[in-house]
Amino acid sequence: MALPLCDIDVPSDTVEEVSKPPSVTPSSPIPEAPRISGEAGSAEAAATLREGLFPPLKGKHSTLATPAVRHLIKGLNVDIGQVTGTGREGRVTKEDVHKFVEERNSSLDANADAAPTPPLRQAASQPDVTARVQNVPQKEEVISLTPVQAQMFKTMTRSLAIPHFLYADEVSLDSIVRLRSRVNTELCPTSSKVTKVSFLPFIIKAVSLALEDYPILNSRVDSTIDSKPRLVMRLRHNIGVAMDTPQGLLVPNIKDVGSKSILEVAGELQRLQAAGASGKLSAVDLTGGTISVSNIGNLGGTYVAPVVVTSEVAILGIGRAKTVPAFDAAGAVVPRTVVNMSWSADHRVVDGSTMARMANRVKQYTEEPELMIARMR
């Protein structure tokens, strides 16, 4: 028999003798519980029993903690009521929180390890659709460049060697709007070549007149002789117009704009547009340009950074015309039709001030077309 762990008092004066249970002879020997001998063993066993029956109570400050500890508890998603504090009067410390988290994670890992692994056959019956789509190889097809794309590839690659200077400004079209309306009403019906005039012929003519004051922008850079760069000045203004054709981007040019009227420029522009749409632009139409205009506003957009080609030193990009509120001389709000003009120039030979003056002159002719008409031959 093992020694009793403790004595239990009862209210009665007499203690009934606990009768021994009848002895049972087992079929196989029952292992005997380990004996705890001596007074030390009895005290240790009693303490163990008391700890199991009566767990230590938390102090009245067991749910109190410093702000740092509470921040740690919040970050680790811990309930402070589940943490046994070892600080003064049962306060929870950082060490208590870390110990609680370690025990909690160990318990979760043990449960995860004990969870049964689903059979492979079940996983195979439910394939991951996302993984299956991601594993599909990309389909690629190699195609050759069209003749227009191949030429554009060569031209734009050479243009990368040109340092571009960009300049943009807003231009009013109110005066051109009124003048264009009168031209379409009174002159176009009597013309055999022009059915309707857009804003573009006026701007092209303004560029030509401005080139008379700033001829460097009608030149080209030549470095073929002794590798020494030189400027080749050109007297005729063959102004190219970028067009979106079924064959791709093409830039035919209107020859000798300086000698043409606005109606003649409009007629030649219509001819080039029709030829581009039908794929009938000739080599003469596509060569010999001295400066270009890109009217990206037909497709949309406000600003553009046009690219200068090696046979020219400047290009003008025109955005979409739009009506905005503005103030007149009396301070009243009035509608105003404006367009943004974006210039690019070869900064190797064209300085910023020259480009700005050229842009301002085109702006002046556009906003005051009577000055442009006065200079026309």
Side-chain angles (χ1 to χ4, degrees):
M1 284 292 291
L3 297 176
L5 298 179
C6 61
D7 295 330
I8 301 176
D9 295 334
V10 295
S12 61
D13 296 336
T14 61
V15 179
E16 297 182 358
E17 183 179 357
V18 180
S19 61
K20 297 181 181 180
S23 60
V24 179
T25 304
S27 59
S28 60
I30 300 176
E32 186 177 9
R35 294 177 178 272
I36 302 177
S37 61
E39 296 180 359
S42 300
E44 181 180 353
T48 302
L49 180 60
R50 285 195 302 270
E51 184 176 338
L53 296 176
F54 307 102
L57 297 176
K58 295 183 179 181
K60 63 180 180 180
H61 303 296
S62 60
T63 58
L64 297 181
T66 63
V69 174
R70 289 192 173 276
H71 180 72
L72 178 63
I73 288 175
K74 183 178 180 181
L76 296 176
N77 194 20
V78 173
D79 181 7
I80 191 173
Q82 298 179 355
V83 183
T84 302
T86 60
R88 189 181 63 179
E89 298 183 354
R91 294 177 184 270
V92 176
T93 64
K94 289 185 178 181
E95 291 74 12
D96 299 332
V97 176
H98 288 301
K99 181 179 179 182
F100 176 82
V101 172
E102 291 178 359
E103 294 177 353
R104 181 183 65 180
N105 294 342
S106 300
S107 176
L108 293 176
D109 293 341
N111 294 335
D113 294 339
T117 303
L120 296 179
R121 183 174 58 184
Q122 180 180 357
S125 62
Q126 299 177 355
D128 189 348
V129 178
T130 303
R132 184 173 59 188
V133 172
Q134 292 177 350
N135 292 331
V136 176
Q138 176 63 270
K139 293 183 179 180
E140 297 181 349
E141 180 183 3
V142 179
I143 60 175
S144 302
L145 297 179
T146 64
V148 174
Q149 289 175 329
Q151 183 61 36
M152 184 170 61
F153 180 87
K154 296 177 183 179
T155 303
M156 294 296 103
T157 302
R158 291 194 296 265
S159 296
L160 292 176
I162 300 175
H164 284 55
F165 173 80
L166 304 179
Y167 181 88
D169 199 2
E170 186 179 81
V171 180
S172 173
L173 294 180
D174 288 342
S175 298
I176 295 294
V177 169
R178 292 189 293 267
L179 180 58
R180 169 178 173 263
S181 177
R182 291 195 60 186
V183 170
N184 287 332
T185 302
E186 300 180 13
L187 297 182
C188 289
T190 61
S191 175
S192 59
K193 297 182 179 180
V194 182
T195 57
K196 187 177 181 181
V197 177
S198 65
F199 298 125
L200 192 54
F202 294 94
I203 297 176
I204 293 174
K205 188 61 181 181
V207 170
S208 176
L209 291 175
L211 287 175
E212 295 180 1
D213 296 328
Y214 303 97
I216 189 176
L217 294 171
N218 198 53
S219 65
R220 64 179 177 87
V221 178
D222 181 24
S223 59
T224 58
I225 301 177
D226 299 331
S227 298
K228 293 182 180 180
R230 300 178 302 174
L231 280 177
V232 178
M233 308 302 293
R234 297 177 288 196
L235 299 180
R236 298 177 62 189
H237 305 157
N238 299 339
I239 300 180
V241 181
M243 296 182 181
D244 181 25
T245 70
Q247 296 77 33
L249 175 64
L250 297 176
V251 189
N253 59 85
I254 302 174
K255 301 291 193 291
D256 199 10
V257 174
S259 64
K260 289 181 170 60
S261 66
I262 294 177
L263 282 180
E264 291 173 335
V265 171
E268 183 65 7
L269 180 61
Q270 289 185 4
R271 183 190 70 82
L272 294 175
Q273 290 173 337
S278 59
K280 296 180 179 180
L281 287 171
S282 65
V284 176
D285 295 329
L286 296 171
T287 57
T290 60
I291 189 172
S292 296
V293 174
S294 178
N295 186 20
I296 195 66
N298 285 337
L299 301 177
T302 304
Y303 301 98
V304 62
V307 179
V308 180
V309 296
T310 54
S311 60
E312 301 173 3
V313 297
I315 183 174
L316 169 61
I318 305 173
R320 179 180 54 192
K322 56 185 178 180
T323 302
V324 298
F327 294 99
D328 60 8
V333 177
V334 296
R336 183 184 179 193
T337 303
V338 298
V339 68
N340 289 95
M341 293 186 178
S342 304
W343 293 85
S344 291
D346 187 342
H347 213 1
R348 297 175 300 178
V349 294
V350 179
D351 56 76
S353 59
T354 301
M355 185 71 263
R357 292 188 182 98
M358 169 73 176
N360 289 336
R361 186 58 55 85
V362 174
K363 177 179 180 178
Q364 182 184 32
Y365 288 149
T366 304
E367 294 183 341
E368 303 176 73
E370 60 272 15
L371 299 180
M372 177 170 56
I373 295 173
R375 291 196 57 178
M376 292 174 57
R377 296 183 180 88

